[in-house]
Amino acid sequence: MSQLSRIIAILTLLKSKRILTATELAHKFDVSVRTIYRDIRKLEEGGVPIITIEGRGYSLMDGYTVAPVQFTEKQANALITAEHLVNLSNDSSFVTDFEEAMTKIKSVFRTSIQAKSESLSKKIHVFNFKKENIASNALSEIQLAITNFNYVEINYKKANDTNISFRKIEPYAFYSTVNKWILIAWCHLRNEYRAFRIDRIQHFKILPEKFEDRNFNLQSYFSSCPYEDK
């Protein structure tokens, strides 16, 4: 990779991620840390407002914008394929938000790539033999609660149970299995981590009140084989 291509790639990464270290960038591009220092200096000399955060890494000044990136044909094809997979999700908020994001992304496709991607889209079909009629519309809102550490109140209905229970939870993570989205949260009713199927949440409310991070670790959670509130 040429220095110019690497510098452009570094700028794109800085724009897409809050903080990056020189070591991370050196591993990413298989160059020395000293080379990354020179690349960062080049960007600064070019007028890019890079902020050096002592002991943490590099970031871009808030509000700085980068000209729209150009996608290769293979990258565009990957996005088009992902769009078909996302459409299998049973959460309408997630599907809607992804479609809106894809509309913006497609707007920067070159004309030739846009025509080819539209052609490819018509030639892709993803079978789903286990799709349930139960749907949800909460994923996007609860994702915001996760990243902003907001408490969430939910009315939850377990499988094969007519009762609906009220829970106050601290949402921490999601995982997906067989097109079902599972929320991992600290449940104040049970006083422990529980897993909730998003499509079984009957009603939810994002509270302005924020909770203290319990330093939840997804890998540790899975290794402990936790209980799931089905």
Side-chain angles (χ1 to χ4, degrees):
M1 176 182 285
S2 68
Q3 184 187 36
L4 178 59
S5 297
R6 187 175 61 250
I7 288 175
I8 293 173
I10 290 172
L11 179 56
T12 302
L13 285 172
L14 286 170
K15 184 60 181 175
S16 63
K17 194 172 183 178
R18 294 298 299 170
I19 300 175
L20 287 167
T21 66
T23 301
E24 288 175 324
L25 291 168
H27 285 313
K28 171 73 175 176
F29 298 105
D30 195 23
V31 295
S32 68
V33 171
R34 182 170 295 181
T35 296
I36 295 299
Y37 290 155
R38 287 197 293 267
D39 291 342
I40 294 295
R41 196 175 304 116
K42 285 285 187 183
L43 285 168
E44 290 173 331
E45 291 171 356
V48 178
I50 294 177
I51 300 171
T52 302
I53 304 172
E54 194 66 33
R56 296 183 64 189
Y58 301 108
S59 181
L60 285 180
M61 182 182 294
D62 285 342
Y64 178 75
T65 58
V66 181
V69 297
Q70 292 296 325
F71 293 90
T72 65
E73 186 175 346
K74 287 196 297 183
Q75 291 168 342
N77 289 346
L79 288 166
I80 293 299
T81 304
E83 186 174 28
H84 283 265
L85 295 174
V86 167
N87 285 335
L88 292 181
S89 172
N90 63 358
D91 188 275
S92 58
S93 66
F94 174 55
V95 173
T96 298
D97 287 338
F98 190 85
E99 286 178 350
E100 291 175 355
M102 280 298 298
T103 298
K104 294 178 180 179
I105 291 171
K106 289 175 182 177
S107 70
V108 302
F109 283 178
R110 294 196 303 273
T111 303
S112 60
I113 289 181
Q114 193 170 54
K116 290 180 179 179
S117 66
E118 290 175 356
S119 174
L120 178 66
S121 182
K122 296 174 183 177
K123 299 174 182 177
I124 297 175
H125 181 78
V126 182
F127 287 98
N128 180 22
F129 297 107
K130 297 182 179 180
K131 189 174 180 64
E132 296 184 43
N133 291 326
I134 302 175
S136 62
N137 189 31
L139 185 63
S140 292
E141 291 295 327
I142 295 179
Q143 284 177 332
L144 291 178
I146 289 176
T147 56
N148 291 286
F149 299 98
N150 290 104
Y151 283 104
V152 180
E153 292 178 344
I154 63 172
N155 290 328
Y156 193 73
K157 183 178 181 298
K158 298 180 183 179
N160 303 317
D161 189 345
T162 57
N163 296 318
I164 296 176
S165 62
F166 172 81
R167 313 287 184 101
K168 183 177 181 180
I169 61 174
E170 301 170 13
Y172 279 100
F174 280 104
Y175 66 90
S176 178
T177 176
V178 198
N179 301 323
K180 299 182 185 69
W181 287 101
I182 312 297
L183 169 66
I184 304 169
W186 180 267
C187 178
H188 283 256
L189 178 64
R190 305 301 184 194
N191 201 33
E192 62 182 343
Y193 288 112
R194 289 296 177 102
F196 302 94
R197 275 182 54 172
I198 295 296
D199 56 12
R200 296 198 180 281
I201 295 176
Q202 304 294 297
H203 176 75
F204 72 95
K205 181 180 180 182
I206 310 296
L207 303 179
E209 180 186 1
K210 297 184 182 294
F211 58 85
E212 291 292 327
D213 187 6
R214 297 175 187 268
N215 297 315
F216 174 83
N217 182 277
L218 194 58
Q219 287 69 35
S220 299
Y221 173 85
F222 284 129
S223 64
S224 67
C225 299
Y227 178 82
E228 181 175 331
D229 257 351
K230 299 180 178 179

